[in-house]
Amino acid sequence: MVMGPSVEFGSFRTKSAVELAEPLTNDLRELFSNTSLPLPKAGESLLSAYLNLLEKWSKRINLTGFKSRVKAAEGLLFDGAELAGQLPEGTSILDVGAGAGGLSVAALAFRPDLSASLVEPRLKRAVFLKTVRRELGFHSNTF
């Protein structure tokens, strides 16, 4: 996973979504402490930024049925964290029917050496995934 730098426009600098993400709450930290891998600090910021985007977009379109960040993390991210612990170094994930992309985002947050290709046939979710890639600083060869 390659995180993009913040963007500079003229004399001011904007911060990336990952830089702006608030720390994970204690209940989310506890959830991810139950996985087979430790969550790197950069991965924590990435997951928090992803949950922010998911929450923001879910107000406009139905991406998932989850009503809270904790439920979304349990339902979308936990399996990706567990998957990351089972893959050999440098593995490339093909996520067909990616939905909101939680499985792949979590795997990449826990294991920066992985890459992922996401396939999503539903236009709204595909547009969301492009936003996730752009806002979280994934390069097209990573996500």
Side-chain angles (χ1 to χ4, degrees), residues 118-137:
L118 286 75
V119 179
E120 175 52 53
R122 291 163 288 196
L123 181 60
K124 290 184 217 179
R125 291 181 182 172
V127 171
F128 172 73
L129 292 172
K130 285 182 181 182
T131 302
V132 167
R133 183 177 68 198
R134 183 184 68 248
E135 295 283 324
L136 300 188

Side-chain angles (χ1 to χ4, degrees), residues 20-33:
L20 293 172
E22 67 241 21
L24 288 176
T25 57
N26 288 335
D27 47 356
L28 288 173
R29 273 197 196 95
E30 184 178 327
L31 171 70
F32 292 123
S33 72

Side-chain angles (χ1 to χ4, degrees), residues 4-112:
S6 38
V7 180
E8 292 190 30
F9 292 101
S11 62
F12 68 93
R13 176 181 176 270
T14 63
K15 292 189 174 187
S16 71
V18 174
E19 290 175 308
L20 293 172
E22 67 241 21
L24 288 176
T25 57
N26 288 335
D27 47 356
L28 288 173
R29 273 197 196 95
E30 184 178 327
L31 171 70
F32 292 123
S33 72
N34 294 323
T35 61
S36 58
L37 288 174
L39 178 61
K41 187 68 175 164
E44 183 177 316
S45 298
L46 184 84
L47 292 180
S48 182
Y50 172 77
L51 289 169
N52 289 345
L53 282 173
L54 185 65
E55 192 172 49
K56 178 181 173 183
W57 275 66
S58 291
K59 291 176 183 174
R60 292 180 285 163
I61 63 173
N62 183 22
L63 289 171
T64 72
F66 302 111
K67 302 298 181 202
S68 74
R69 289 171 68 91
V70 173
K71 292 295 181 191
E74 288 173 349
L76 296 173
L77 302 176
F78 190 80
D79 288 343
E82 287 299 312
L83 172 68
Q86 306 301 315
L87 298 174
E89 186 174 336
T91 297
S92 182
I93 300 166
L94 176 59
D95 189 351
V96 178
L103 181 100
S104 295
V105 169
L108 294 172
F110 276 84
R111 293 273 308 279

